[in-house]
Amino acid sequence: MTFTLGGLISTSKPSQAAQIEPSAINTASLTTPATNAVAPTPVPQILPTVTPEAPEPTPASFDTLDEAVDAHRDGSVEDEEALRCLATTIFYESKGEPLAGQLAVAEVVINRAKSGRFASDICGVVKQRGQFSFVRRGVLPSVDAANRMYKTAVAVAKVALADAWKSPAPKALFFNGRRVGLPGRLTKVALIGNHIFYR
């Protein structure tokens, strides 16, 4: 005798199930496996392919900003022009400031280039009309490359470009001297040396 699922469903009625006497059911046959039963075949489990994300590059680890700057005094960078623009900005805007203040000035320029509100590259930000007083008609002044403070500015610029030290003024887009009042509706981010940083 052959049973089909469709046949069983079409001929069974819920009212019939209620009429079955529980004592009439052979429960031993329900718990004892049939001798002619086929062993179940394991079904392979198909898992979605997960491609691991590439780890974010981690900058070299330094204990102090001084160490990071010293480590970046030599060597080259991809974009020498961006390095020159950034180092010149650090030199004219924050030479003599603590290294954290010089790095924060560099970060402002980099943040501006990424913001979409200013020019899209570092030199464009620095040379943008009315942004930095040391720039005249879009031209950077020359700096003696042998100057000790300029060498430090170059190293700080390399640290900033390599993202080798956490910014002391995160997301800052503006800065000014302590003696200048709060510009407009900006949020103060940090006070470092003689500069206040805002976003």
Side-chain angles (χ1 to χ4, degrees), residues 41-161:
T41 306
V43 178
Q45 186 177 8
I46 300 173
L47 299 173
T49 304
V50 177
T51 306
E53 291 183 23
E56 289 187 29
T58 55
S61 178
F62 301 101
D63 291 331
T64 66
L65 181 53
D66 286 328
E67 286 180 17
V69 170
D70 286 341
H72 286 83
R73 288 193 186 276
D74 296 321
S76 61
V77 294
E78 264 183 46
D79 189 346
E80 289 290 333
E81 184 64 13
L83 176 63
R84 187 179 74 80
C85 289
L86 193 55
T88 302
T89 304
I90 295 166
F91 179 76
Y92 280 104
E93 292 291 333
S94 61
K95 68 179 173 234
E97 290 291 310
L99 291 177
Q102 293 181 44
L103 181 61
V105 166
E107 293 291 341
V108 165
V109 175
I110 292 170
N111 291 343
R112 285 183 178 191
K114 293 177 181 177
S115 74
R117 296 170 56 186
F118 297 87
S120 61
D121 63 271
I122 290 172
C123 288
V125 168
V126 172
K127 295 177 181 179
Q128 197 166 358
R129 188 175 173 187
Q131 295 302 309
F132 295 99
S133 60
F134 67 89
V135 178
R136 299 281 187 238
R137 295 186 205 127
V139 178
L140 297 178
S142 62
V143 181
D144 177 10
N147 181 304
R148 182 183 55 80
M149 288 184 167
Y150 183 72
K151 286 181 178 182
T152 298
V154 169
V156 170
K158 287 179 181 178
V159 168
L161 290 170

Side-chain angles (χ1 to χ4, degrees), residues 4-37:
T4 64
L5 184 58
L8 289 173
I9 292 174
S10 66
T11 58
S12 66
K13 296 180 184 162
S15 62
Q16 290 174 333
Q19 297 171 356
I20 296 175
E21 191 66 36
S23 61
I25 299 174
N26 181 359
T27 56
S29 65
L30 295 176
T31 59
T32 308
T35 56
N36 63 352

